């Protein structure tokens, strides 16, 4: 695969559940957009079903979930389940927020990509998504 894509990488950034803190999600969305990606930001209070349906409709390459509420062990498995049901296995599910390391490892075992704790540079997140899409998507 070449180092260039035929179209911009498409990323959906979402806040799931009752977590009302979206500053980090907005910063990530802006950083991804500044890196040349197309970003769909769903806003607050999304359900896993809403996120996956939007990802399917928008034909995204990656879904980024921002979560600070502690519901990560419910939200991510539900999104992974829905992705599999809709046969979207080639879509990256990643995210960040307040997630203990032991939970990060458990989520990776079910198919979640890298999870980014507070303090991660936006450059690292952009690189991870770009590299993953380059290696796993064909467009």
């Amino acid at each position: 695969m070449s180092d260039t894509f035929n179209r911009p990488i498409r990323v959906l950034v979402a806040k799931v559940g009752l977590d009302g803190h979206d500053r980090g999600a907005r910063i990530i969305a802006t950083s991804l957009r500044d890196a040349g990606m197309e970003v769909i930001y769903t806003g607050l209070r999304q359900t896993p079903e809403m996120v996956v349906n939007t990802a399917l409709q928008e034909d995204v390459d990656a879904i980024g979930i921002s979560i600070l509420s502690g519901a990560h062990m419910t939200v991510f498995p539900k999104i992974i389940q829905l992705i599999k049901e809709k046969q979207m296995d080639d879509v990256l599910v990643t995210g960040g927020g307040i997630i203990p390391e032991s939970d990060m490892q458990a989520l990776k075992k079910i198919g979640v990509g890298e999870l980014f704790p507070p303090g991660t540079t936006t450059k690292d997140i952009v690189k991870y998504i770009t590299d993953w899409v380059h290696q796993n998507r064909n467009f």
Side-chain angles (χ1 to χ4, degrees):
M1 200 180 278
S2 72
D3 289 336
T4 59
F5 302 115
N6 294 328
R7 63 168 174 76
I9 295 171
R10 295 177 56 84
V11 181
L12 182 133
V13 176
K15 293 289 294 183
V16 178
L18 299 176
D19 182 356
H21 302 280
D22 68 343
R23 182 175 177 211
R26 289 176 182 265
I27 290 169
I28 296 302
T30 301
S31 297
L32 297 175
R33 194 169 289 133
D34 289 350
M37 297 181 194
E38 288 184 18
V39 178
I40 299 96
Y41 176 59
T42 62
L44 297 170
R45 297 178 183 82
Q46 300 293 299
T47 66
E49 291 82 3
M50 292 165 73
V51 169
V52 173
N53 285 335
T54 301
L56 180 62
Q57 291 170 1
E58 295 289 343
D59 190 28
V60 301
D61 302 301
I63 299 170
I65 303 295
S66 171
I67 194 153
L68 300 170
S69 66
H72 52 273
M73 294 304 286
T74 302
V75 169
F76 281 104
K78 182 64 176 176
I79 289 172
I80 292 292
Q81 173 196 340
L82 293 166
I83 290 281
K84 288 178 181 176
E85 287 174 8
K86 296 192 183 288
Q87 299 177 343
M88 298 168 58
D89 296 329
D90 63 342
V91 174
L92 170 64
V93 177
T94 186
I98 308 297
I99 305 171
E101 182 63 34
S102 60
D103 290 350
M104 286 184 186
Q105 296 308 317
L107 292 169
K108 287 179 186 179
K109 286 181 183 175
I110 66 163
V112 177
E114 287 296 316
L115 295 166
F116 301 98
T120 303
T121 68
T122 55
K123 180 180 177 183
D124 289 344
I125 296 168
V126 167
K127 180 175 178 3
Y128 172 71
I129 292 172
T130 302
D131 290 349
W132 189 95
V133 170
H134 179 72
Q135 293 171 9
N136 295 282
R137 297 279 289 187
N138 185 16
F139 59 88

